Amino acid sequence: MPHEPIVITGVGIVSAIGIGQANFFEALLDGRSGVRSLADRTDGEATPGAGDAIDGVWVGAPIVDFQPKQYVKPRKALKVMCREIQTAFASAQLAIEHAGLSDSIPASDAGEISPQRLGTVFGSEIFFNPPEELADSIRGCLDESGQLHPERFGEVARREVMPLWMLKYLPNMPACQVGISINSQGPNNSLVLGDVSGPAALLEAESYLQRGIADVVLVGATGTRIGSTRMLYHRDSPVPVRGELAIEDLSRPHDPSAPGVVGGEGAASLVVETRRHADRRGAPVLATVLATASRFSATDALRSGQRVSELDPPNSRQAGTAIRLAIQAVLDRSGVSPGQIGLVASHAVGDRQVDAGEAAALAEVGVACPLVAVSASIGHTGAASGVIELATGVLSLAGKTIPPTRHDGTHPEIQFRQMPGPLTSPYVLCLSHTTDGSAMAVLLG
């Protein structure tokens, strides 16, 4: 039995090159870069010292013009929202506005959208608190000689830490906070699956709509690779080395000589609904979800248990097999041929192995159209990356435009545009994948 078409009617983005879908896409078309020194960050997190070289972890793509009080209401809710939850909340409000639903959301029984028919599903990740938040509690565990007594931490933390502190960092809180704010009483879920979290949230929303348990679903994801604690704790990507490159050119997806992965932060949301519901309320359709597929094939690094952050380690991080299977699945389900695809929203992030796996998968399937790699402008945004790439695909379709990517030092089989160009095909393929071996493909039309 054929399913009712699922459409996307709103996009909200919070990124290092623009807040709001129009600002983001204009910056992307202009080839702007959000990559800069982390000395410029405005979130109160770690910055380089006066004598530190602006290189490695001190280069990133922070959002420097984000004012959460403009978006989070009531403002008292900010005290239980970490940075990632704040950006997720803002992207959701922007998507609702873009979809023309500001007068209908929060949902009400007497309104256009029933609360029971409104769902919320977000991709997420582990949220790390800044080290400073627990500094006083740790100091309280020191005796007069400076010896640390970890057994005292529980007692000290009860006095020093805000009782609702944990709510700031739970991975399910973006979906929770957004769901509360829009009075969503339909299905609500959170998916913590690394870089594929956002596209997986779209797949979940598609299921809600096709099963008839919701009419509208707010889909989103949020993430960061530049949080202080995460930078200390994780070593899952090669840290970039500037060399002779300008800071703004350091993020180089699909460059065989890429110097490493530049971290970024961001969030994006999509308003997804059945075609029938969108038509009933007269909403312009930005894109139709033609097919989605999720596949897994463990990478060599995962199989061997040797996951390291070297540029070219012996055990590869690339998920080429899973990417190829996911692409083939959406082509089979949609009946679209590889030659009909007009644009690929790439998940390349400047990791030589990861990017090479994507290039190989596209070549094996026979997709040979232009790509756009948004990470060149905003860095790798963790769990937010997949849905930002989806949003880029949606906006490219809606504007019938292929955005440029900031550099042209690519793998021989990869085509980037250096200037905006016309998108003449009605099909855009959006990819996301992880270094463990998960991959998702979404075909938009």
Side-chain angles (χ1 to χ4, degrees), residues 392-411:
T392 301
V394 171
L395 296 173
S396 297
L397 263 177
K400 297 182 179 179
T401 303
I402 297 175
T405 300
R406 279 188 52 84
H407 74 90
D408 58 1
T410 62
H411 185 282

Side-chain angles (χ1 to χ4, degrees), residues 43-322:
D43 60 354
E45 286 254 31
T47 56
D52 291 331
I54 306 306
D55 202 350
V57 296
W58 294 128
V59 176
I63 305 165
V64 298
D65 52 355
F66 178 60
Q67 300 294 330
K69 292 181 180 179
Q70 293 181 10
Y71 306 97
V72 178
K73 297 174 183 174
R75 290 185 178 179
K76 65 181 180 180
L78 284 169
K79 68 181 180 181
V80 289
M81 290 186 184
C82 67
R83 173 83 164 185
E84 294 93 324
I85 300 174
Q86 294 172 9
T87 57
F89 195 99
S91 74
Q93 300 304 315
L94 291 164
I96 289 166
E97 180 181 346
H98 188 218
L101 288 171
S102 296
D103 293 335
S104 303
I105 293 178
S108 67
D109 292 328
E112 184 178 30
I113 301 174
S114 163
Q116 291 77 26
R117 305 289 298 172
L118 178 60
T120 311
V121 55
F122 267 72
S124 190
E125 61 186 14
I126 296 174
F127 301 143
F128 296 95
N129 63 281
E132 293 82 359
E133 284 198 349
L134 299 180
D136 288 342
S137 298
I138 294 171
R139 289 190 191 99
C141 298
L142 300 174
D143 62 22
E144 293 179 354
S145 66
Q147 182 70 31
L148 180 68
H149 294 271
E151 70 276 7
R152 298 179 185 176
F153 183 77
E155 178 185 351
V156 176
R158 281 197 296 271
R159 296 195 307 266
E160 300 291 343
V161 177
M162 178 183 73
L164 299 178
W165 173 83
M166 186 176 289
L167 294 182
K168 294 176 66 175
Y169 301 105
L170 293 176
N172 66 323
M173 291 309 288
C176 174
Q177 293 283 14
V178 170
I180 291 170
S181 73
I182 66 176
N183 195 24
S184 166
Q185 298 177 26
N188 183 292
N189 204 358
S190 302
L191 301 173
V192 182
L193 298 168
D195 295 5
V196 301
S197 298
L202 176 64
L203 180 62
E204 181 88 353
E206 187 180 25
S207 171
Y208 301 157
L209 296 166
Q210 291 178 341
R211 286 186 287 151
I213 61 174
D215 295 320
V216 180
V217 183
L218 201 63
V219 175
T222 183
T224 184
R225 287 292 182 102
I226 57 171
S228 304
T229 303
R230 193 192 191 287
M231 290 194 295
L232 289 168
Y233 179 69
H234 276 280
R235 290 292 181 267
D236 49 5
S237 298
V239 175
V241 178
R242 276 181 63 189
E244 300 299 319
L245 291 168
I247 291 177
E248 62 270 21
D249 295 328
L250 195 56
S251 185
R252 302 182 68 80
H254 276 307
D255 184 345
S257 301
V261 179
V262 175
E265 62 172 338
S269 294
L270 307 172
V271 173
V272 185
E273 51 191 310
T274 61
R275 166 79 73 170
R276 184 182 310 170
H277 189 272
D279 289 345
R280 187 165 66 239
R281 68 182 189 87
V285 172
L286 303 174
T288 300
V289 181
L290 300 178
T292 54
S294 175
R295 295 293 184 269
F296 178 81
S297 178
T299 62
D300 290 345
L302 181 63
R303 290 178 187 275
S304 67
Q306 301 297 317
R307 291 187 283 179
V308 296
S309 59
E310 299 170 14
L311 273 174
D312 297 297
N315 300 107
S316 177
R317 295 181 289 263
Q318 61 96 354
T321 300

Side-chain angles (χ1 to χ4, degrees), residues 356-383:
E358 182 182 280
L362 288 166
E364 288 174 26
V365 177
V367 175
C369 63
L371 279 68
V372 57
V374 70
S375 67
S377 294
I378 64 171
H380 186 4
T381 57

